[in-house]
Amino acid sequence: MKHRIVVLGAGYAGAITAGRLAKRLHRDDVEITLVNADPEFVERVRMHQLASGQDLPVRPLRDVFAGTGVQVRIARVSAVDVDRKTVDLTGENIGYDTLVYALGSTIADYGVPGVAEYAYNVAGKQAALRLRARLNELRQGETVLIVGGGLTSIEVAAEIAEARPDLEVAIAARGGVGDWLDEKAQRYLRGAFERFGITVHEHADVTRVTANGVVTRSGQHIPAQMTVWTAGFTVHPIAAATTLAVSDSGRIVVDATLRSVSHPDVYALGDAAHAEGVGGKPLRMGCATATPMAWQGADAIAARLTGRKVPDAPIGYNSQCISLGRRDGIIQKVTPDDQPTPKVTTGRMGARIKELICTAAAWSVSHPTMMLPSRHRHLVAIGDMEPRFVTR
């Protein structure tokens, strides 16, 4: 009987894992099923581009995995029973011998009233398209307010400001905006905001979203005709409803091989996994960690099924990349444990590097075991390379 591997989620982590397993294992020995609610592979790191009016390539999953032996199932996961080793899909359930849980994340509203009713987001394709439609309705001089101060917030603000210079764009952040960056990168970011005309409200803790703006903890009302919520992400509650060991945030706790510490037939990858990186620091959510986790997890599964040495090298970081529209960007070099260094690349070169990295991430979905073309290799480690240091 074939060993049944079920992969839940076809984002960067799930899609790369499924393709890599298909290359590592013989189809006479295993049956690989990839389950995803959307029929297409979605480049989540480009949702701010889609929202601002740009069109992205369409990549149907059945085309991506044609000829690989991976069975693509378009269905929504409603529950997982890790004791019975079954997954409930819309109207049916399927069994597994090995489960790869890579369902990703969605926006975290932190219980703030009005987010669901009035705010837009870029957590997925449909959400980005809704934002895009609303953006097209705005008239000259109206305000778009982005709530949050992280990478996504910065990129959304810059992309909208570049695409719609007729609008007023503002950011409201609980703390500082980009304040984790090196001083040089922070100065460059402030200059970019000035060039775009982006108003920044720092230390503005938003406690309520309304139809015409937001209210902060201090009682300040920041007016806006459109609010975009980018204040953070959270995982889907499916894992926490099982007997899997999960963190306080609901992420599946895994070991160095990305295997669940409580259920050895379950692997968790990407945003859904609570994994320790270099120095024992938990890896943050994002494409930067999803891709190397996919390599690590797929190789660990293949090794255990074929009796080979199981890889367990810690995952570390190389850079954080921020696009500031299509022609500007910041590449912040970091230590393996994600601390900023004085090495910063900005401007058009920063934008070019960021674009190549985004292209490389999508390319790796279709080429899960191959190295990048030589002109890309210095940017991000794709393929069988150690140590696995990553970018973004």
Side-chain angles (χ1 to χ4, degrees):
M1 181 180 294
K2 292 183 179 181
H3 187 92
R4 300 167 301 168
I5 302 175
V6 175
V7 181
L8 304 182
Y12 292 100
I16 293 171
T17 298
R20 196 171 180 91
L21 286 170
K23 293 287 188 179
R24 290 281 187 265
L25 301 169
H26 199 285
R27 65 182 65 182
D28 289 343
D29 300 323
V30 297
E31 178 183 279
I32 303 171
T33 302
L34 177 62
V35 180
N36 199 59
D38 196 304
E40 302 169 9
F41 170 70
V42 176
E43 291 186 79
R44 195 171 182 184
V45 296
R46 294 189 186 274
M47 289 301 95
H48 56 291
Q49 295 176 236
L50 182 64
S52 68
Q54 299 167 53
D55 293 325
L56 304 178
V58 176
R59 295 184 172 89
L61 289 171
R62 288 198 168 95
D63 291 349
V64 171
F65 291 98
T68 65
V70 175
Q71 301 176 29
V72 176
R73 298 283 296 275
I74 307 305
R76 189 171 298 278
V77 178
S78 56
V80 175
D81 190 327
V82 293
D83 299 314
R84 297 177 59 189
K85 301 177 74 168
T86 61
V87 177
D88 289 341
L89 306 179
T90 308
E92 62 175 321
N93 65 71
I94 58 175
Y96 66 83
D97 298 305
T98 295
L99 179 69
V100 178
Y101 188 104
L103 289 178
S105 60
T106 187
I107 66 161
D109 63 15
Y110 303 109
V112 174
V115 174
E117 294 85 354
Y118 302 114
Y120 294 80
N121 67 79
V122 291
K125 182 177 180 180
Q126 295 308 313
L129 289 173
R130 287 193 294 273
L131 192 162
R132 176 175 176 159
R134 174 59 181 141
L135 195 62
N136 289 336
E137 296 173 349
L138 297 184
R139 296 170 295 181
Q140 181 175 354
E142 293 190 313
T143 297
V144 178
L145 176 66
I146 291 86
V147 179
L151 292 168
T152 302
S153 309
I154 294 167
E155 292 188 332
V156 169
E159 207 75 42
I160 292 175
E162 182 178 82
R164 291 292 305 272
D166 59 315
L167 299 177
E168 299 294 327
V169 178
I171 292 180
R174 177 182 297 176
V177 178
D179 56 0
W180 69 91
L181 298 168
D182 177 73
E183 183 179 347
K184 176 183 177 182
Q186 289 188 49
R187 286 198 305 271
Y188 191 87
L189 180 61
R190 288 193 293 269
F193 283 158
E194 290 177 5
R195 293 194 300 274
F196 281 125
I198 297 172
T199 301
V200 179
H201 303 275
E202 294 188 313
H203 308 292
D205 188 5
V206 173
T207 56
R208 181 158 54 94
V209 178
T210 69
N212 59 358
V214 302
V215 178
T216 69
R217 191 167 301 280
S218 67
Q220 177 188 11
H221 175 254
I222 304 176
Q225 282 68 50
M226 178 182 182
T227 299
V228 184
W229 189 266
T230 59
F233 293 91
T234 187
V235 295
H236 298 284
I238 292 174
T242 71
T243 56
L244 285 163
V246 299
S247 68
D248 292 342
S249 61
R251 302 169 79 184
I252 300 171
V253 181
V254 296
D255 63 17
T257 68
L258 287 310
R259 184 165 67 169
S260 164
V261 297
S262 62
H263 292 73
D265 48 10
V266 176
Y267 291 73
L269 309 172
D271 291 356
H274 179 89
E276 292 185 352
V278 171
K281 182 179 179 180
L283 297 171
R284 54 183 165 84
M285 293 182 178
C287 175
T289 43
T291 300
M293 287 171 87
W295 305 331
Q296 188 95 314
D299 290 357
I301 293 170
R304 287 193 169 103
L305 291 178
T306 57
R308 299 198 302 270
K309 185 180 185 300
V310 180
D312 60 358
I315 294 171
Y317 293 94
N318 178 277
S319 303
Q320 291 184 14
C321 307
I322 307 173
S323 63
L324 301 170
R326 295 296 85 210
R327 296 179 294 275
D328 199 357
I330 298 172
I331 307 299
Q332 169 71 73
K333 288 290 186 180
V334 298
T335 60
D337 62 348
D338 211 21
Q339 297 303 306
T341 75
K343 296 183 66 176
V344 177
T345 302
T346 59
R348 288 185 178 271
M349 181 55 69
R352 174 175 163 77
I353 293 173
K354 170 66 188 297
E355 176 58 29
L356 288 174
I357 289 169
C358 290
T359 300
W363 186 90
S364 67
V365 172
S366 300
H367 303 79
T369 62
M370 296 175 63
M371 294 178 67
L372 282 175
S374 59
R375 66 183 181 278
H376 294 170
R377 288 180 196 157
H378 67 290
L379 301 176
V380 62
I382 299 288
D384 302 330
M385 292 180 283
E386 299 285 356
R388 291 185 167 94
F389 291 137
V390 296
T391 304
R392 174 83 163 109

